[in-house]
Amino acid sequence: MPRTTTRRRPRKDLMISTAELSREHRDQVESLLGAVTAHDGVSPLDEAARLALAGGSAQHLLLAEDQAVIAYASVLADGTVQGMVRPEARRRGHGTALLEAALAQRADAGVWAHGALESSLAFLSANGLVETRRLLTLHRELAAGTPIEVPASTLPGLTLGTFEPAHDADAWVAVNARAFASHPEQGSMTREDLEQRMAQPWFDPEDMVVARRDGQLVGFVWVKRERPGATDADAEIYVVATDPSVQGHGIAGVLLATALERLVQGGVPGVELYVEADNAAALRLYEAWGFAVSGRDVQMRRPAPAGA
């Protein structure tokens, strides 16, 4: 959330708190999102928060002047908070008002500072929050025409195929939950969450490779592009997962290499992914495949009271 001061606090009657945005408010928030992203060079809202604008479990906080939304924050069901203030309206207390309102709803909220902007980190620190989580962005360039060697798995009977939504969706949710049991967001994805993402314009089942053993789904790699089949911009390794029952057989490496090979053959210039900074095993895998850190997001919280 952008840095601000408390010199001039917005009037309380301008604060709007709602579980469902009107079409007008959603349009204004999306316009605000575009302006802030262009100004700061990074989106203040992650995918989950952007999806929540159109519906989902979230509480939306808005500040308006002359019926125009100038600041916004959301409190998602997972307890994360992220927000933004229009650049020309900063340093007037709007960020502080949103943060206080969000923490009043969830005192234990994890507040994201996307891009780890110095101003955002300073603002949150000044309000008593401390870093509790760091998410790294990794990037790798892809050389057109240079093939990627796909390693062999040590798991007998492993086959690769394309995700079939009608057949694989429930198995995908189950494997994802087991693979990310300790992950605060990814591991809690439901069938509804999966379907919401499959309904997005960028979704293409051809960009999800699944691994099966004896016909049962045991792993997957999901590639996200700006639009189906796009080759003129970097792609994202959206998620790689293997069921804990088959881990240790090199399946993640097989899936990742297969996705990279497909992107290389398609002429995609580069690829990025996100990984927890403390996930040493995943970092070793990605670094071995030529990925390097290109960005970071920081989550901050208010410390628990002493003795709590």
Side-chain angles (χ1 to χ4, degrees):
M1 300 173 74
R3 187 176 183 179
T4 185
T5 68
T6 57
R7 295 177 184 172
R8 179 180 166 194
R9 296 290 300 278
R11 301 200 320 268
K12 290 183 180 298
D13 61 350
L14 296 179
M15 175 78 75
I16 300 168
S17 179
T18 178
E20 185 175 351
L21 292 172
S22 67
R23 179 69 195 195
E24 179 182 359
H25 280 150
R26 186 173 69 189
D27 289 344
Q28 289 196 43
V29 170
E30 289 177 345
S31 175
L32 175 63
L33 175 60
V36 171
T37 301
H39 181 273
D40 294 342
V42 61
S43 174
L45 305 183
D46 64 15
E47 181 186 59
R50 293 194 300 271
L51 289 173
L53 295 176
S57 184
Q59 190 69 17
H60 306 278
L61 304 171
L62 306 92
L63 284 171
E65 285 186 351
D66 298 325
Q67 299 184 331
V69 174
I70 59 170
Y72 167 83
S74 62
V75 183
L76 300 186
D78 62 11
T80 58
V81 170
Q82 44 212 301
M84 54 188 170
V85 177
R86 187 171 292 279
E88 61 270 24
R90 293 175 181 176
R91 299 183 180 275
R92 292 163 51 188
H94 300 307
T96 299
L98 286 175
L99 180 62
E100 290 177 353
L103 293 177
Q105 294 192 20
R106 285 289 299 257
D108 63 340
V111 183
W112 278 113
H114 293 298
L117 301 177
E118 182 178 348
S119 59
S120 298
L121 297 178
F123 164 68
L124 294 174
S125 295
N127 280 276
L129 280 68
V130 296
E131 179 178 335
T132 56
R133 184 179 169 197
R134 184 172 295 201
L135 188 68
L136 301 178
T137 306
L138 305 185
H139 182 269
R140 172 190 163 150
E141 293 184 357
L142 298 175
T146 303
I148 301 291
E149 183 177 351
V150 179
S153 168
T154 60
L155 185 69
L158 186 74
T159 60
L160 300 182
T162 300
F163 178 72
E164 301 173 11
H167 178 266
D168 294 327
D170 287 333
W172 187 98
V173 172
V175 169
N176 181 77
R178 291 191 291 268
F180 294 102
S182 62
H183 194 281
E185 291 108 23
Q186 186 67 30
S188 63
M189 282 189 64
T190 64
R191 173 70 181 264
E192 182 181 4
D193 293 328
L194 175 61
E195 290 177 346
Q196 185 181 31
R197 284 155 179 78
M198 290 192 298
Q200 299 306 304
W202 56 262
F203 175 71
D204 184 349
E206 294 295 324
D207 274 337
M208 194 192 301
V209 176
V210 297
R212 296 186 174 90
R213 183 189 190 191
D214 299 328
Q216 299 298 312
L217 193 148
V218 295
F220 54 85
V221 58
W222 192 348
V223 170
K224 178 181 178 181
R225 314 190 199 205
E226 289 187 356
R227 60 188 183 281
T231 60
D232 57 350
D234 288 356
E236 176 187 343
I237 301 295
Y238 194 50
V239 60
V240 182
T242 56
D243 193 280
S245 65
V246 297
Q247 288 178 0
H249 291 278
I251 298 174
V254 171
L255 289 167
L256 178 60
T258 299
L260 294 177
E261 172 63 9
R262 287 187 170 196
L263 293 173
V264 166
Q265 294 304 315
V268 174
V271 61
E272 68 176 13
L273 56 82
Y274 299 88
V275 63
E276 300 290 335
D278 61 358
N279 190 337
L283 282 170
R284 285 195 298 271
L285 171 67
Y286 297 134
E287 288 171 355
W289 282 98
F291 285 86
V293 176
S294 60
R296 63 191 176 111
D297 301 320
V298 171
Q299 189 180 99
M300 303 179 71
R301 297 176 185 269
R302 279 187 173 161

